[in-house]
Amino acid sequence: MKNILSNKNTTLLTSALLLGAGGVQQASAQHEPLQKPQGIIGKTLDQSTQWWPEKVKAKKDAPNVIWILLDDVGFGAASAFGGLVETPNFEELANDGLRFTNFHTTGISSPTRAALLTGRNHHKVAMGHHAELQIGAPGYTGEIPLEAGTVAEIFRENGYNTFALGKWHGIQPQQQSLTGPFNRWPTGRGFDHFYGFYGGSTDQWHPQLIDGINEIDIEPNTKHLNQLLADKAISYIANQESTNPEKPFFLYYATGGTHAPHHVAKEWSDKYKGKFDKGWDAYRQEVFNRQTARGFLQKGTVLPDRQPGVKEWESLSADEKKVFARFMENYAGYLSYTDHEIGRVIDYLKENDLYENTLVFVMIGDNGGSKEGTYNGSFGISSGDKTPGGEIAFLLSQYDKIGTEYSNPNYPLGWSQACNTPFRYWKSDANSEGGTHNPLIVHWPKGIKEKGGIRTQYSHVSDVLPTTVELTGVTVPEIINGYPQMPIQGTSFAYALNDAPAPTRHHVQYYELHGGRSIYKDGWKASVYHPRNVTGELGGTDPNFNPRPFSQDKWELYNLNEDWNEINDIAAKYPEKLKELRELFDSEAKINNVYPLHSYHEGVAAPEIKAKTVILEGTSQKISVNIGRGTVTITANIETKAKSDDGVIFADGGLLGGSSLYIKGGKLQYVLNDGLKEKTLTSSKAIPVGKSSIRIEFSKNKILSLYLNDEKVAEEKNISHNKYLSAFSGEGVSVGKDSNSPVTKSYPWPFPFKGRVTKIVVDQAVE
């Protein structure tokens, strides 16, 4: 069997080390070929020797494995790495295990997850950006090749049960329907079970969840997503241990925390009341001092200046300080609560004698702190008031809603940089340590001698898979499902677990996202920031934006051995070193399918707008309908058997914006919610028993008309459909009830319709 764990820049693992003491074994994954019978077949059973085909079993005392991945958490947020947000469970794991302080991600969600799950560079497995931002080039299709087997495919073939929980964010949007194809869904990529969501984020109070390949309806839901995931993790482990305790498990546990929306119960955010009133400047200094004192920073590291555009805290108005501090209190509560729920799973391991032999990796963030909140933070709804102070006044008016189901909050950039202490920049800036440098904890009482140690070897998210493979001694198949496998590119850092001073083995690593790029080699780093123009890039989309040619990008050079957080650009001093690294980037880019560079300045390619969308009776999945700028007509054909047949005919969106057509008390009603206030049209006539056709017309002159059996029964002027049909939540259209976040709470949600919805047709002008 060939060893597919390789990296041309590293010391190769040998096959014998990879496969454990048993030496080389031929393995093929996820199929059970017919074996030649070894027994004797007589005419009767007493004349026969029984035989059963041999099943793959994990080696004796094989450790369980849990990978825990948080979302949008910077290096300086969690108390486990010197931050001011209390994460006692992470601290306990770190104090009982190891802290890796020089661990790196790709800088953003989908690419980090693809590199983690496959042990290969993200462009090499076609995830050069989010799966939604696919382009027609090998590094950017958003479709992980079947030739790049996942950790689950490897471990399942080695006798493990495999479970995935939480955020996936690795499937093209066009493959997320209930018609599949399903071979790139989690259960198609080696996981026995999946419970979570497919997009980049979901409402934490009203999540859109998948169980296996099926959408599930959990409403009316009373639990935060963090609790739902912890409950399911415990259930998976309990079922495993109760039915087959000899079989180990692999659990990929990817929380929604702490990606926006920053949703958390008030009891958690209120724990931090007043604790951030000194502001982000004081936070940065205090965290930097803690990190320095505890040895988490490279010797000689200094605190950089605030990022351009981030104001000095003391220069802010009293109103700004008040609302900005609340954003951080809310975020801190969210992170602490995420730690709490993960702690419940860890406690379950302790209570059931599983703690000592479970290998746990905790990756605190798939990238640095988020910059989507821009300079003032975001609530999720635009007030439309662009006058000086108008936005702050709006945010203050929503102060008590921050973190609730009526909000979609993200903190301001000042807090993002503070949570990234001691680094500059933030999420999605692949050129920077602030975007790509995250904390890692490795915990395994049975296999790690030192407790509370710090490891400084350079490592990358693609290294986690080969490290886990080496520590568990599993066999990596050459072929999975008939597909010959690409070499694994990551470098195992198992060597460092019990050898703190061991020299780094991961010598070269490139980074690239939407044109921003960098190359690392043995402590030297060349990097370049490339501006883009999409929502979330410090102020959103500018229609007059003129993208900078890549040829005009200015490269910078840093010696991370002396300047860990990239403060001193020495490109002018060492032009030959810069030239060497730029040539190395070019070489790595060609090997890993990084070209063509793409700035994404035109934003996300919008889904095709269909002139007609038909949703048939029996559709159980929420249907996303892309609404354009022209006229829109929605026709719903229904059938009732009694005057009491109330309920929701269809709902689009939720509390943060949307619309719902329903019958209540025999009257047809259409409610519009812009996230701040509701507007309801009520039919002047009662719904007749039997078949009815209901039509909603949004005209070009902003007149909304409601028709019942071709008779106009209500009208409202000055209504723009984009405000409601292009719902902020992006939940999609649910038929026969109001699923997930309700558009309104004026009816007994989810308010299932007692009649039949036989068809819904959306007609629109395509401009």
Side-chain angles (χ1 to χ4, degrees):
M1 175 180 173
K2 294 180 181 178
N3 176 17
I4 65 169
L5 283 178
S6 63
N7 186 310
K8 66 185 181 67
N9 302 307
T10 65
T11 303
L12 301 182
L13 291 175
T14 65
S15 293
L17 177 61
L18 166 64
L19 300 173
V24 177
Q25 301 176 27
Q26 182 66 36
S28 56
Q30 300 196 22
H31 69 284
E32 294 183 274
L34 186 66
Q35 299 178 28
K36 185 178 179 180
Q38 302 298 308
I40 298 173
I41 307 300
K43 289 188 175 181
T44 63
L45 184 60
D46 59 357
Q47 297 173 350
S48 304
T49 301
Q50 297 185 62
W51 170 84
W52 287 269
E54 184 178 351
K55 300 291 185 180
V56 174
K57 291 184 179 180
K59 67 179 184 178
K60 187 177 181 181
D61 296 325
N64 301 308
V65 180
I66 301 179
W67 284 1
I68 299 170
L69 178 64
L70 274 69
D71 204 328
D72 287 8
V73 189
F75 190 88
S79 60
F81 281 75
L84 302 186
V85 181
E86 296 174 7
T87 52
N89 293 291
F90 297 159
E91 284 193 62
E92 181 181 355
L93 290 171
N95 293 338
D96 197 35
L98 299 173
R99 288 175 172 87
F100 283 75
T101 60
N102 205 6
F103 176 73
H104 294 77
T105 56
T106 70
I108 207 165
S109 177
S110 292
T112 288
R113 291 157 205 276
L116 172 66
L117 290 167
T118 67
R120 298 156 175 106
N121 288 321
H122 57 296
H123 293 85
K124 194 69 174 178
V125 295
M127 203 67 70
H129 212 298
H130 291 325
E132 301 94 322
L133 295 176
Q134 59 201 269
I135 62 172
Y140 302 89
T141 64
E143 190 172 65
I144 297 175
L146 300 173
E147 290 79 3
T150 70
V151 63
E153 289 170 318
I154 293 169
F155 274 76
R156 186 164 72 177
E157 202 55 33
N158 280 270
Y160 278 69
N161 271 136
T162 54
F163 312 124
L165 285 169
K167 177 174 172 177
W168 185 252
H169 207 195
I171 306 176
Q172 295 174 337
Q174 60 266 37
Q175 294 186 358
Q176 293 179 23
S177 75
L178 295 185
T179 56
F182 301 112
N183 58 347
R184 286 182 171 84
W185 290 41
T187 52
R189 294 308 307 261
F191 287 101
D192 296 322
H193 294 283
F194 171 70
Y195 179 87
F197 58 99
Y198 282 128
S201 63
T202 192
D203 190 309
Q204 299 289 298
W205 293 120
H206 304 289
Q208 291 183 262
L209 295 176
I210 300 285
D211 192 345
I213 61 171
N214 297 307
E215 284 190 355
I216 55 175
D217 185 4
I218 60 170
E219 303 295 354
N221 177 46
T222 59
K223 295 181 178 180
H224 191 281
L225 178 57
N226 273 336
Q227 184 179 355
L228 292 171
L229 295 180
D231 288 349
K232 185 63 73 171
I234 291 170
S235 173
Y236 283 158
I237 296 170
N239 290 337
Q240 164 78 52
E241 294 302 313
S242 299
T243 58
N244 194 350
E246 299 302 315
K247 191 174 186 180
F249 64 82
F250 174 89
L251 172 63
Y252 174 49
Y253 186 176
T255 72
T258 58
H259 195 290
H262 295 170
H263 281 158
V264 72
K266 199 169 182 288
E267 65 187 89
W268 284 93
S269 56
D270 281 356
K271 288 177 181 287
Y272 290 95
K273 268 287 190 182
K275 292 189 177 180
F276 302 113
D277 287 355
K278 292 180 181 178
W280 46 62
D281 295 321
Y283 181 103
R284 291 178 67 226
Q285 188 63 60
E286 183 174 351
V287 169
F288 180 79
N289 293 343
R290 285 159 59 104
Q291 292 172 333
T292 301
R294 298 175 187 182
F296 300 157
L297 308 184
Q298 180 179 280
K299 189 176 181 180
T301 301
V302 298
L303 185 66
D305 294 335
R306 282 186 306 277
Q307 288 288 127
V310 176
K311 295 179 181 179
E312 179 186 3
W313 183 264
E314 289 307 317
S315 72
L316 301 176
S317 69
D319 285 348
E320 287 174 317
K321 289 179 180 178
K322 180 179 179 180
V323 72
F324 292 171
R326 187 55 182 170
F327 273 123
M328 186 57 192
E329 291 168 2
N330 182 68
Y331 175 78
Y334 186 22
L335 179 53
S336 286
Y337 177 58
T338 302
D339 170 89
H340 168 78
E341 290 295 340
I342 291 172
R344 287 179 52 221
V345 179
I346 300 301
D347 287 344
Y348 188 82
L349 298 177
K350 294 177 183 176
E351 293 163 1
N352 292 281
D353 299 322
L354 299 169
Y355 184 73
E356 293 295 314
N357 198 29
T358 297
L359 172 59
V360 180
F361 291 77
V362 183
M363 291 156 274
I364 305 182
D366 54 355
N367 44 246
S370 169
K371 61 181 176 182
E372 283 95 340
T374 69
Y375 292 108
N376 288 336
S378 60
F379 185 74
I381 305 163
S382 174
S383 67
D385 186 354
K386 302 302 181 185
T387 60
E391 187 175 359
I392 299 301
F394 167 73
L395 292 173
L396 272 176
S397 73
Q398 305 300 309
Y399 183 94
D400 291 332
K401 294 181 181 178
I402 293 174
T404 71
E405 63 182 338
Y406 294 95
S407 68
N408 190 324
N410 202 335
Y411 57 20
L413 278 162
W415 288 120
S416 180
Q417 187 182 7
C419 288
N420 283 342
T421 301
F423 302 113
R424 299 186 304 135
Y425 290 100
W426 24 58
K427 171 184 177 179
S428 84
D429 294 325
N431 57 297
S432 72
E433 295 294 293
T436 62
H437 200 135
N438 285 93
L440 169 68
I441 299 166
V442 181
H443 180 271
W444 185 22
K446 191 172 181 179
I448 299 175
K449 300 174 185 177
E450 184 180 356
K451 308 299 182 185
I454 295 174
R455 297 295 183 267
T456 60
Q457 290 84 357
Y458 185 93
S459 58
H460 184 260
V461 66
S462 61
D463 300 339
V464 176
L465 184 150
T467 304
T468 309
V469 163
E470 181 175 351
L471 293 174
T472 57
V474 301
T475 300
V476 179
E478 283 186 308
I479 298 171
I480 292 178
N481 274 348
Y483 296 94
Q485 292 296 290
M486 300 160 47
I488 290 173
Q489 296 174 294
T491 305
S492 171
F493 52 82
Y495 67 90
L497 265 64
N498 291 310
D499 188 4
T504 296
R505 296 185 183 178
H506 193 137
H507 299 288
V508 172
Q509 182 62 50
Y510 83 89
Y511 298 83
E512 191 278 338
L513 279 172
H514 48 73
R517 51 214 187 271
S518 65
I519 183 74
Y520 168 93
K521 181 182 180 184
D522 293 329
W524 288 88
K525 182 178 176 183
S527 60
V528 59
Y529 173 78
H530 184 78
R532 61 178 183 148
N533 187 44
V534 296
T535 300
E537 178 76 0
L538 305 191
T541 301
D542 178 0
N544 300 314
F545 179 79
N546 186 24
R548 182 171 72 198
F550 289 103
S551 61
Q552 295 180 12
D553 286 342
K554 181 181 179 295
W555 282 81
E556 300 170 351
L557 178 67
Y558 300 96
N559 183 349
L560 301 187
N561 295 319
E562 301 173 356
D563 180 21
W564 205 48
N565 51 357
E566 306 168 299
I567 294 177
N568 301 307
D569 177 11
I570 52 178
K573 187 175 180 180
Y574 298 101
E576 289 303 314
K577 174 59 75 171
L578 179 60
K579 181 174 181 293
E580 172 197 334
L581 290 177
R582 289 186 64 176
E583 290 174 351
L584 179 59
F585 177 85
D586 184 60
S587 173
E588 290 292 302
K590 290 174 181 175
I591 291 169
N592 288 283
N593 300 327
V594 175
Y595 295 137
L597 297 177
H598 185 39
S599 66
Y600 294 89
H601 62 269
E602 64 270 41
V604 179
E608 178 186 359
I609 297 174
K610 297 180 181 179
K612 177 177 287 190
T613 300
V614 179
I615 304 173
L616 299 177
E617 181 180 18
T619 300
S620 59
Q621 182 180 19
K622 282 191 158 188
I623 304 298
S624 295
V625 181
N626 188 28
I627 301 296
R629 298 178 181 177
T631 59
V632 179
T633 300
I634 305 172
T635 304
N637 294 325
I638 68 169
E639 187 174 331
T640 59
K641 292 184 178 180
K643 291 183 178 180
S644 59
D645 282 356
D646 288 354
V648 171
I649 297 168
F650 75 81
D652 174 39
L655 289 171
L656 298 178
S659 63
S660 177
L661 179 69
Y662 63 98
I663 300 171
K664 187 177 181 182
K667 284 291 185 76
L668 179 67
Q669 300 188 57
Y670 186 50
V671 62
L672 304 167
N673 180 5
D674 66 2
L676 294 175
K677 57 184 181 299
E678 296 179 5
K679 188 184 299 289
T680 302
L681 279 72
T682 302
S683 170
S684 58
K685 291 196 171 184
I687 289 282
V689 173
K691 295 180 179 179
S692 291
S693 176
I694 301 161
R695 191 167 77 251
I696 300 162
E697 291 185 358
F698 289 90
S699 71
K700 210 164 188 177
N701 56 4
K702 295 186 177 182
I703 295 177
L704 168 61
S705 302
L706 181 64
Y707 292 84
L708 175 60
N709 296 322
D710 292 326
E711 181 180 352
K712 184 184 289 188
V713 291
E715 182 180 274
E716 187 74 31
K717 295 181 179 179
N718 199 28
I719 296 291
S720 172
H721 68 71
N722 284 324
K723 200 171 186 178
Y724 305 100
L725 299 188
S726 300
F728 179 87
S729 65
E731 285 189 6
V733 178
S734 55
V735 179
K737 61 183 174 182
D738 189 348
S739 300
N740 300 102
S741 175
V743 175
T744 178
K745 290 194 172 180
S746 62
Y747 47 59
W749 160 70
F751 204 26
F753 185 45
K754 295 177 183 177
R756 292 176 58 201
V757 182
T758 57
K759 184 186 293 186
I760 293 176
V761 179
V762 181
D763 287 293
Q764 56 180 315
V766 178
E767 296 183 348

